[in-house]
Amino acid sequence: EEHRSSRCGKARQILLEEKWSIVKERNCCFNCLIPGHNTQACKFNSKCQWCGKKHSILLCREILNKDKSLRETTSEDLNKHNKEVNSANASLIPEVCLQTIRVILKNDNKERVVRAIMDSGSQRSYISKQAAEEMEYQLHCESRVVHFLFGGTSTKPQNHRGYLIHLKSLDNECACNFMAFNQDIICHGIPSINNGPWVHELLKRNIILTDVGQSTDPIEVLIGADVIGKLMTGKLHNLECGMTAVETKLGCMLMGEKPTEENSKNDAALIVTSMFVQEADISNLWSLDVMEITDPVKTKSRERAQEEICKRFRQAVTINHPNIETNKEIAQKRLLITTEKLKRQGLYEEYESDG
């Protein structure tokens, strides 16, 4: 039919070994599935979204291995695995997947695959300073911006350089240009979509994600509300696991809370993210260093916390003064010596009258 082989829904129903045989018989590239060249000569700038190797996800053996291992895993092992994952989530993996995607930055003959995030809460789009310099984008304008952050705080006016950047999807089916302002760090610590119950459901629905795997590469492009509306297709897929797949012209994204057994048991202790910084930039929106993540039951005011610290300090700290000897005798001797000296010089009465 009239679509790319990599997007063929019928191909997903064929057994893996049969798909490999068909590709070899028709002398097709393992990466783009187009006949006439091999994988090494393939100019299609994409890799398997599951394992990261240079072949189509339709030919990935790792998915089959993962599926087999999941079928052979006992329920006890799964419960243990979920608990281990939840322990890691507290410090590394957020419970909610954000709208991340992999795209290609392009400038003339230069191309680079980067991670991007779509954030409708940002009025403007941004590109990391490093990416803008490496792609050698020409300066288009400069702007002085004040960032209003969560919690009502705002930054001091900051200068940002504006570049007209060129983006395209990994499958080269969509390309777009828009203005993006430079920023030293956009956000970090946001992992790609990893393995989970949503993977096989996405494959059944013929939905291919681009930002998958164990990567924690920094986000280098933030697509704001000034551009997002033009990239959305309006197609949403609500998965049985509770997550939502969003189709855009640049590819598909996955967002929503990850389904775990522990989440249903811990509804009473919600994680609240608050920002209390007065001086911050847009990178702080994603940085745990400037956030207070606490159980709301234990949250206290700063004034009360400071009072408790001062109270403990007074109770714990003791000051020991050494015994200081009196200098009375030395002072008396000096007085006698001075008095005798003044009398010998005949100055005692004069000294006494001046005093």
Side-chain angles (χ1 to χ4, degrees):
E1 299 178 4
E2 294 183 359
H3 56 243
R4 289 179 177 269
S5 298
S6 58
R7 295 180 176 270
C8 182
K10 294 181 180 179
R12 301 184 185 281
Q13 309 301 323
I14 304 175
L15 295 176
L16 181 63
E17 295 302 328
E18 186 177 351
K19 285 187 285 190
W20 275 97
S21 298
I22 294 174
V23 171
K24 292 178 180 178
E25 289 176 1
R26 299 187 180 182
N27 194 25
C28 294
C29 170
F30 297 155
N31 188 36
C32 66
L33 303 180
I34 297 176
H37 65 270
N38 56 26
T39 305
Q40 294 179 349
C42 183
K43 296 182 179 180
F44 185 56
N45 192 9
S46 178
K47 295 182 180 179
C48 175
Q49 296 92 341
W50 180 261
C51 68
K53 297 180 181 178
K54 198 169 184 179
H55 58 240
S56 171
I57 193 173
L58 290 174
L59 302 177
C60 185
R61 300 182 187 276
E62 294 294 328
I63 295 180
L64 184 63
N65 294 336
K66 290 288 183 181
D67 185 37
K68 182 179 179 181
S69 63
L70 287 174
R71 290 197 301 268
E72 294 175 351
T73 303
T74 64
S75 59
E76 182 179 355
D77 293 333
L78 285 175
N79 291 335
K80 180 180 179 182
H81 173 71
N82 285 337
K83 292 179 180 178
E84 293 174 350
V85 169
N86 288 333
S87 298
N89 284 346
S91 58
L92 295 177
I93 305 176
E95 295 292 333
V96 177
C97 293
L98 302 179
Q99 300 181 80
T100 60
I101 190 173
R102 288 188 183 270
V103 295
I104 300 175
L105 278 177
K106 180 178 174 59
N107 187 19
D108 294 332
N109 296 327
K110 285 189 175 183
E111 290 189 356
R112 178 183 173 189
V113 178
V114 298
R115 295 185 69 206
I117 186 169
M118 293 197 179
D119 182 9
S120 58
S122 175
Q123 292 181 328
R124 303 191 182 191
S125 299
Y126 293 87
I127 182 173
S128 70
K129 184 177 180 181
Q130 180 180 357
E133 292 177 352
E134 290 185 4
M135 296 304 299
E136 297 182 350
Y137 287 127
Q138 293 184 356
L139 178 64
H140 189 272
C141 66
E142 291 190 15
S143 179
R144 195 167 178 82
V145 181
V146 175
H147 299 288
F148 292 92
L149 309 178
F150 180 84
T153 59
S154 60
T155 67
K156 292 181 179 179
Q158 300 176 2
N159 293 322
H160 292 277
R161 293 187 171 187
Y163 301 93
L164 184 63
I165 67 173
H166 310 277
L167 280 187
K168 65 178 183 178
S169 59
L170 295 183
D171 57 10
N172 293 317
E173 291 188 355
C174 174
C176 59
N177 307 326
F178 57 87
M179 181 67 63
F181 293 89
N182 70 335
Q183 175 67 22
D184 291 338
I185 299 175
I186 294 179
C187 51
H188 53 76
I190 300 179
S192 303
I193 305 299
N194 54 11
N195 187 20
W198 48 84
V199 173
H200 299 285
E201 189 173 354
L202 291 172
L203 291 175
K204 290 180 181 178
R205 293 172 178 248
N206 196 26
I207 299 174
I208 299 177
L209 302 178
T210 59
D211 189 27
V212 296
Q214 302 299 324
S215 172
T216 55
D217 295 336
I219 300 295
E220 298 194 76
V221 175
L222 185 149
I223 303 176
D226 54 340
V227 179
I228 288 180
K230 301 175 183 178
L231 298 177
M232 291 295 179
T233 63
K235 294 182 180 180
L236 299 176
H237 302 270
N238 294 318
L239 308 182
E240 294 179 1
C241 63
M243 304 182 75
T244 302
V246 182
E247 288 191 23
T248 73
K249 295 179 181 180
L250 294 175
C252 291
M253 307 176 297
L254 189 66
M255 67 176 181
E257 186 176 357
K258 290 184 178 180
T260 59
E261 183 179 352
E262 292 294 324
N263 284 346
S264 59
K265 297 180 180 179
N266 295 335
D267 290 340
L270 300 177
I271 295 179
V272 180
T273 302
S274 302
M275 296 187 68
F276 294 99
V277 289
Q278 296 298 327
E279 300 297 335
D281 54 27
I282 60 172
S283 64
N284 294 139
L285 289 171
W286 312 96
S287 177
L288 295 180
D289 294 336
V290 295
M291 295 181 182
E292 291 183 357
I293 301 179
T294 58
D295 191 328
V297 179
K298 298 180 180 179
T299 302
K300 300 178 181 179
S301 66
R302 290 187 174 183
E303 293 77 9
R304 184 176 176 185
Q306 290 178 355
E307 290 177 0
E308 290 186 0
I309 293 173
C310 293
K311 183 178 179 181
R312 292 178 184 176
F313 178 81
R314 296 189 190 99
Q315 293 174 349
V317 176
T318 58
I319 301 175
N320 296 323
H321 294 285
N323 294 327
I324 301 176
E325 297 181 358
T326 179
N327 296 324
K328 184 177 180 180
E329 294 181 0
I330 297 175
Q332 287 177 342
K333 289 181 180 180
R334 289 182 178 177
L335 179 59
L336 292 173
I337 293 172
T338 302
T339 302
E340 291 177 358
K341 183 179 180 181
L342 291 172
K343 287 180 178 181
R344 287 197 305 267
Q345 296 176 352
L347 299 174
Y348 179 77
E349 295 179 358
E350 183 180 352
Y351 182 83
E352 185 71 17
S353 62
D354 292 339

